[in-house]
Amino acid sequence: MTKWNKHSISYLHDALVKKQVTPLELVEDCIKGIQADDCNSFEALAFEEARKAAEQIGEIKEDEYLKGIPFLAKDNYSTKGIETTASSNILNGYVPLFDATAISKLKRAGMIMVAKTTMDELAMGGTGTSGHKGPTLNPYDHERIVGGSSCGSASSTALGIAPLALGSDTGDSVRKPASYSATVGFKPTWGRISRFGLFPFAPSLDTIAYFTRNVLDASYVLTALAGKDSKDMSSSSRKKEHYQDYVINKRSLKKIGYFKAVNDAIEDERLKSKYHELLDKLKDHGYEVVCYEYPVDLLNALYPTYMIISCAESTSNNANLDGIRFGPIAEGNPKTYEEYMKACRTKGFSDLIKRRFVIGSFSLLSQNQFEMFSRAQKARRLIVDNMNKFFDGLDYLILPASYSKPKKIKELSTAWSTKPDFLDNILGLGNFGGFPSITLPLMFEDGLPFGINITGRTFEDGYVLGMAKEIEEITGLKDLVKGDK
Ligand code: GLN
C-alpha cells in the first residue's frame, strides 16, 4: 500500500503547498505502488523520466491544483519517448515521437506521468483480458475481471497507486470498470477534450475519460484538459469553465429521470433497493424524480448499432497497422504486400480484434453498406433524438452503472451472445450522443462494488459533476482504496 498516493489530488495538493511532502517523494511512493501491483496493471514504466520531472518542479502555488502530483495513462495515449502498444502485439516496440494533447496538458499543469497501464487490445472489449500481457485482475477479488477496456487504469486507481489514471471511453470503457472498482470514472462531453494523440478506435464515439477517487478531483482534471486544440478539429471552441466551482458549490439542476424498462429488468434485488433508496433520498433533497418510458426497441438496438458503427470505424482507422510501419516481422517469406500484411496481422492481432475487423469490413462492403452501415447510422440518430427528447424535460438520467458482479475470469466466454442484454450496453447511450457521463460508487455486495451513473446534456459537464457531488455526499463512498482499513 502506498502511503501518499492513496490520497486524493486535493489532499496531496494541500500537503505539497504546505511542504509536508515533495513531488519526488510522491513519485517514489507511486513507483513503490507500481512495483507492489498484484493485478497486472502496467505496460511501459517511465520511472527515470518521472524522477527527473519531479526534481525540476519548484514552488507550488495555491491555485496550481495538479502540480507535482503523479498520474498514469492508458497505453493508447501517445507518449513521447515511451513505448506505446495499446496492449497489442502489433505495436510492440513502437515509441511515439510526440505526446497526446491530454498528456502534454497534464504535464504543463505540472503533473508527472509515472507509467502506462494495461488495456483490452486497441481498446476493444470490456473484460480487461484481451491485452498482450494477459488478464488484469480486480483488486477486490483476483478471480474476477476489473472490466475494460481501461482495465489497468481502473485497478491502479482502486489500489491507490496514483490519484489519476487516464482511460478512454468509446462504449463504456471507463464508466463500467469504475463501477467494478469503486472508483470515479468520468467521460466528459465528446469534443470537450482534444483527442489528438489518442489512438483512434471509433472516433465518432471515442472520448478522453479518466479515473479518480472522488468527484472534486475529476473536476480539477477537466478544468486542465478542456479546450480547443488546433490539432483536433472536433475539439470544441466553447469557453471552458472552472468545473470545480460546480462541485465546491454543489451547483446542480433539479429534474432526474430513470428508465422504466431498465428498472423492470434489474434482477439483483439488493441493487434495486439501494438504487431506489438513493432516488428517494434525492427526492428528500428537493429533486424531482420521474420514471420515463424510453422506447424499448431502441434500447434493444443499442448493441447491434454500437457493433456496426464501432467496428466499421475501427476497421478503417486501424488499416495503418499493416505490419510494415509497425508490427512483427512476417513469417513464411511472403512475396506480395498483401501476403506480408496478412501474415503480420494474423500474428499481431488477437481473435477478438480479428472478429471485429471482419464485422467492420463486412458492413462497409459496397453491397452491404446500405443495409448495415447506413441503417446503423439511422438507428443511432433515433436513439440520440429520443435522448434529446428526454433532456427536453429532464436534466439527468441516473442508472446503475453495472447490474451484476464482475464476471469470474475463468467463466468468460468468447461465444457470440445470442441474447444481447440492453443492461449490459446501456452506458453506450452516453457515447452515441456525446453526453457527459460519470460513474461513482453506490454500494458493495459481498465485498464487490457497484456504481451509479449520471448522464447529462452535452456541455453541461459542470452540472453533471455538481450532481455527482450531491450523490457522493449521500452515499458517503469517497476516496476508497482497496486494502485501506
Ligand atoms: N465494451 C465496449 C466494446 O467492447 C466498449 C469499449 C470502449 O469503450 N473502448 O467495444
Side-chain angles (χ1 to χ4, degrees):
M1 170 62 57
T2 67
K3 178 167 162 278
W4 281 103
N5 294 298
K6 66 177 188 179
H7 292 297
S8 63
I9 289 177
S10 28
Y11 182 98
L12 295 180
H13 170 65
D14 223 42
L16 285 164
V17 170
K18 291 189 185 132
K19 299 201 165 54
Q20 292 161 341
V21 69
T22 65
L24 187 59
E25 282 167 332
L26 293 187
V27 165
E28 293 298 348
D29 186 58
C30 182
I31 290 173
K32 271 190 218 136
I34 293 168
Q35 287 165 339
D37 165 48
D38 53 3
C39 291
N40 189 27
S41 312
F42 296 99
E43 289 280 350
L45 307 173
F47 295 170
E48 283 322 305
E49 292 85 345
R51 287 184 174 118
K52 225 182 271 161
E55 276 162 4
Q56 278 161 12
I57 289 177
E59 190 78 17
I60 297 174
K61 299 200 193 88
E62 285 283 352
D63 63 349
E64 293 174 316
Y65 303 108
L66 303 181
K67 194 166 169 183
I69 296 174
F71 77 100
L72 307 164
K74 187 174 177 178
D75 206 31
N76 56 351
Y77 283 82
S78 247
T79 45
K80 187 176 175 181
I82 294 160
E83 187 189 39
T84 304
T85 66
S87 293
S88 177
N89 279 323
I90 208 149
L91 283 164
N92 282 344
Y94 168 60
V95 180
L97 298 171
F98 61 92
D99 276 332
T101 297
I103 301 281
S104 50
K105 281 196 166 181
L106 291 179
K107 284 187 179 170
R108 229 178 296 143
M111 289 199 93
I112 305 159
M113 195 190 78
V114 187
K116 305 294 288 291
T117 58
T118 49
M119 52 188 281
D120 275 305
E121 184 175 6
L122 301 173
M124 286 178 237
T127 60
T129 61
S130 71
H132 61 180
K133 289 210 160 169
T136 297
L137 315 180
N138 192 314
Y140 287 89
D141 179 347
H142 285 182
E143 284 186 13
R144 294 179 190 267
I145 61 167
V146 69
S149 63
S150 311
C151 47
S153 290
S155 53
S156 50
T157 307
L159 286 165
I161 295 174
L164 168 68
L166 293 178
S168 62
D169 192 311
T170 305
D172 57 16
S173 272
V174 162
R175 292 163 295 148
K176 184 82 78 68
S179 186
Y180 291 153
S181 62
T183 55
V184 172
F186 184 34
K187 179 197 89 67
T189 302
W190 186 88
R192 185 63 296 190
I193 303 176
S194 163
R195 283 178 292 113
F196 175 75
L198 173 72
F199 292 2
F201 159 16
S204 76
L205 304 161
D206 291 345
T207 319
I208 301 277
Y210 47 84
F211 300 85
T212 56
R213 268 182 251 106
N214 68 40
V215 176
L216 180 62
D217 283 4
S219 69
Y220 283 124
V221 175
L222 183 58
T223 304
L225 289 179
K228 176 79 188 160
D229 177 11
S230 58
K231 294 181 189 138
D232 174 3
M233 286 195 301
S234 67
S235 62
S236 169
S237 50
R238 275 186 193 232
K239 211 168 153 286
K240 52 184 250 175
E241 300 174 71
H242 287 110
Y243 297 96
Q244 62 271 21
D245 294 348
Y246 289 86
V247 177
I248 292 164
N249 304 317
K250 269 202 284 165
R251 282 172 62 196
S252 60
L253 303 166
K254 288 288 165 240
K255 290 183 181 168
I256 294 166
Y258 67 94
F259 288 171
K260 180 171 185 307
V262 171
N263 188 55
D264 292 350
I266 303 176
E267 282 175 5
D268 183 324
E269 286 304 327
R270 282 188 280 180
L271 172 65
K272 199 166 182 169
S273 77
K274 197 77 192 170
Y275 175 45
H276 281 279
E277 199 182 294
L278 173 69
L279 293 175
D280 287 343
K281 284 193 182 145
L282 287 167
K283 277 188 210 159
D284 295 343
H285 281 65
Y287 292 90
E288 189 183 324
V289 178
V290 173
C291 179
Y292 187 88
E293 298 216 16
Y294 187 91
V296 179
D297 52 346
L298 290 180
L299 293 179
N300 284 324
L302 283 172
Y303 182 68
T305 306
Y306 173 80
M307 281 312 271
I308 301 289
I309 292 176
S310 69
C311 291
E313 289 190 32
S314 138
T315 304
S316 146
N317 275 299
N318 288 300
N320 63 338
L321 303 179
D322 56 5
I324 293 177
R325 280 162 280 199
F326 323 89
I329 307 283
E331 281 164 3
N333 199 20
K335 301 218 166 28
T336 64
Y337 170 73
E338 264 171 61
E339 275 175 28
Y340 191 92
M341 181 162 162
K342 198 166 153 190
C344 292
R345 293 191 129 213
T346 302
K347 200 168 145 192
F349 295 132
S350 68
D351 287 349
L352 182 143
I353 298 296
K354 287 175 196 158
R355 170 145 78 180
R356 293 210 183 187
F357 286 167
V358 169
I359 298 171
S361 307
F362 191 73
S363 69
L364 289 173
L365 282 176
S366 55
Q367 62 269 40
N368 298 337
Q369 238 178 59
F370 185 74
E371 264 303 296
M372 295 181 75
F373 191 64
S374 308
R375 274 181 66 187
Q377 298 284 34
K378 285 180 193 158
R380 177 176 182 175
R381 173 47 49 210
L382 289 174
I383 290 164
V384 175
D385 281 352
N386 275 275
M387 270 316 287
N388 285 330
K389 245 187 242 164
F390 172 95
F391 284 129
D392 278 345
L394 297 165
D395 304 312
Y396 302 108
L397 172 63
I398 300 190
L399 296 172
S402 56
Y403 294 83
S404 54
K405 293 174 185 165
K407 290 204 172 83
K408 289 204 168 153
I409 293 171
K410 59 173 192 297
E411 285 166 8
L412 291 174
S413 152
T414 53
W416 204 245
S417 139
T418 47
K419 198 175 145 273
D421 173 3
F422 62 68
L423 293 184
D424 232 20
N425 304 290
I426 193 90
L427 298 179
L429 274 175
N431 305 77
F432 281 159
F435 305 116
S437 184
I438 191 167
T439 295
L440 63 156
L442 172 68
M443 63 177 246
F444 283 82
E445 190 180 302
D446 308 326
L448 292 165
F450 283 71
I452 187 83
N453 180 266
I454 309 160
T455 300
R457 297 184 190 93
T458 49
F459 295 100
E460 289 191 353
D461 300 76
Y463 284 125
V464 167
L465 288 161
M467 184 72 226
K469 178 65 189 171
E470 182 84 71
I471 293 182
E472 188 176 75
E473 285 189 359
I474 292 175
T475 63
L477 298 176
K478 176 181 176 216
D479 298 327
L480 303 177
V481 166
K482 170 62 185 143
D484 201 15
K485 291 271 162 1

